[in-house]
């Protein structure tokens, strides 16, 4: 059970107010933008990890410490495209995920530096556009382990981690993000609800520890057109499982393109009495793992979500670029956001 404070009405954050006045735009993919630079092992090592014992290429999160200039350039490109909110480059920045590279001891540092880089970008762009303040969401990914499913085919009861360890790793990540100055906490790409509940519990612990609460966004992903998470829940069941945390918003990202996501987003919106976010992939991946949906196509599909009153936040996930975000921002600019419905919680 969450402590009673979770149910108390918190002062409304500016982001929550704005999201009920106009549709706010998130950013797009980070990894593909970084990889366009043809990064080498030396880029990932930098001076900080020059003598580290493990190979580090592919660990995009540590670029906030070794190539902060590149990470900053991606943030700036999304703000230039029209994003109101960018995400920190911390999708896999927990001690558990970073253990694959032997960097579990640097998890706090990664999150702190990521938040500082993103906040400086937001500060500069907010000064450029005083009537359009910019914000930073601390991105918390799903981890590379699952609490609900055994990794051992012959032992369904086996788990490589337990709830307490996952919770502790998430709490360390949240501390780093908050000390770096993020405006929102975003638990995203949730495929295992038990993992997300560990994250939500950790977030609440850190909020209590620090004596302050940030707006909370949660975003689920489904594995295919069945509309279920990897751990087997429908999106409606997912909302029932996390509604007690009283997030500012709930939504969907990744896995599907906007066209395939629509019926499940509608189902989620029909049972949720909070703000709704949607940041789909640029369509389904092609045979080579790439994404062919054009910015105009993605923008038009999300305009349909907006026109039908489904969303308060929109953006992009895998395969989306600053051009996709610019198209989305243009397409939804003249449409009012979703109004909060009265949903029976009994």
């Amino acid at each position: 059970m969450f402590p009673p404070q979770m149910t108390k009405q918190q002062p409304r954050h500016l982001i929550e107010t704005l999201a009920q006045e106009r549709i706010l735009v998130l950013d797009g993919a980070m990894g593909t933008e970084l990889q366009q630079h043809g990064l080498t092992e030396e880029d990932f090592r930098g001076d900080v990890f020059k003598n580290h014992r493990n190979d580090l290429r592919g660990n995009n999160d540590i670029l906030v410490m070794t190539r902060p200039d590149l990470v900053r350039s991606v943030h700036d490109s999304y703000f230039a495209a029209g994003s109101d909110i960018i995400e920190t480059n911390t999708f896999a920045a927990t001690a558990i995920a970073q253990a694959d590279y032997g960097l579990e001891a640097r998890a706090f540092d990664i999150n702190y530096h990521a938040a500082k880089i993103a906040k400086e970008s937001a500060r500069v762009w907010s000064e450029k556009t005083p009537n359009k303040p910019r914000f930073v969401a601390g991105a918390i990914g799903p981890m590379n382990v699952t609490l609900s499913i055994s990794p051992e085919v012959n032992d369904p009861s086996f788990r490589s981690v337990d709830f307490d360890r996952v919770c502790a790793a998430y709490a360390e990540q949240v501390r780093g993000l908050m000390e770096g100055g993020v405006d929102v906490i975003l638990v995203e790409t949730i495929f295992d609800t038990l993992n997300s509940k560990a994250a939500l519990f950790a977030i609440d612990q850190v909020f209590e520890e620090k004596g302050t609460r940030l707006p909370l966004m949660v975003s689920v992903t489904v594995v295919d057109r069945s509309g279920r998470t990897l751990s087997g829940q429908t999106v409606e069941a997912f909302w029932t499982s996390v509604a007690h945390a009283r997030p500012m918003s709930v939504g969907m990202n990744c896995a599907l393109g906007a066209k395939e996501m629509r019926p499940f987003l509608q189902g989620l919106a029909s049972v949720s009495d909070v703000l709704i976010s949607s940041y789909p992939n640029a369509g389904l991946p092609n045979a080579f793992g790439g994404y062919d949906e054009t910015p105009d196509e993605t923008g038009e599909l999300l305009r349909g979500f907006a026109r039908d009153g489904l969303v308060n936040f929109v953006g992009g996930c895998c395969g989306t670029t600053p051009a996709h975000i610019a198209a989305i921002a243009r397409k939804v600019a003249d449409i009012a956001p979703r109004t909060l419905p009265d949903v029976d919680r009994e």
Side-chain angles (χ1 to χ4, degrees), residues 57-289:
R57 188 173 182 178
N59 186 3
N60 286 340
D61 300 65
I62 62 171
L63 293 171
V64 301
M65 299 178 70
T66 63
R67 289 299 307 271
D69 56 318
L70 289 184
V71 177
R72 171 64 186 271
S73 71
V74 176
H75 290 326
D76 287 341
S77 69
Y78 281 121
F79 277 141
S83 292
D84 297 283
I85 305 170
I86 57 167
E87 298 180 42
T88 54
N89 183 39
T90 52
F91 187 78
T94 59
I96 289 174
Q98 286 298 313
D100 286 351
Y101 298 94
L103 290 175
E104 54 269 41
R106 304 305 297 268
F108 177 91
D109 297 335
I110 294 169
N111 286 280
Y112 175 80
H113 285 284
K116 295 291 283 186
I117 293 167
K119 278 295 290 184
E120 178 59 18
S121 178
R123 183 192 67 78
V124 170
W125 281 90
S126 292
E127 290 179 355
K128 289 182 179 180
T129 59
N131 62 333
K132 183 182 171 70
R134 314 301 179 104
F135 304 97
V136 173
I140 296 178
M143 285 198 187
N144 54 346
V145 295
T146 171
L147 288 167
S148 295
I149 302 170
S150 173
E152 298 287 342
V153 175
N154 296 320
D155 186 0
S157 67
F158 176 78
R159 298 293 185 272
S160 57
V161 290
D162 59 25
F163 187 91
D164 288 344
R165 184 181 168 203
V166 171
C167 186
Y170 277 132
E172 180 182 33
Q173 181 173 28
V174 175
R175 291 187 189 100
L177 291 170
M178 290 185 71
E179 291 193 28
V182 300
D183 304 295
V184 185
I185 299 294
L186 169 59
V187 184
E188 65 173 350
T189 323
I190 298 167
F191 62 79
D192 179 353
T193 305
L194 191 52
N195 278 37
S196 71
K197 289 172 83 70
L200 295 174
F201 187 77
I203 290 165
D204 185 65
Q205 284 185 317
V206 177
F207 284 174
E208 289 294 317
E209 172 188 304
K210 293 187 173 296
T212 188
R213 292 180 179 275
L214 299 180
L216 173 63
M217 303 175 73
V218 295
S219 183
V220 67
T221 190
V222 296
V223 293
D224 54 33
R225 290 173 178 169
S226 70
R228 291 180 180 269
T229 65
L230 186 64
S231 55
Q233 283 190 311
T234 63
V235 293
E236 293 88 351
F238 168 76
W239 170 242
T240 299
S241 298
V242 301
H244 61 87
R246 300 305 302 148
M248 175 182 70
S249 72
V250 66
M252 297 185 68
N253 75 291
C254 203
L256 303 175
K259 186 183 299 182
E260 296 79 17
M261 180 186 287
R262 185 183 179 100
F264 310 120
L265 186 70
Q266 286 177 307
L268 184 60
S270 72
V271 297
S272 306
D273 60 349
V274 298
L275 305 175
I276 295 291
S277 67
S278 171
Y279 51 114
N281 293 343
L284 295 175
N286 59 33
F288 302 100

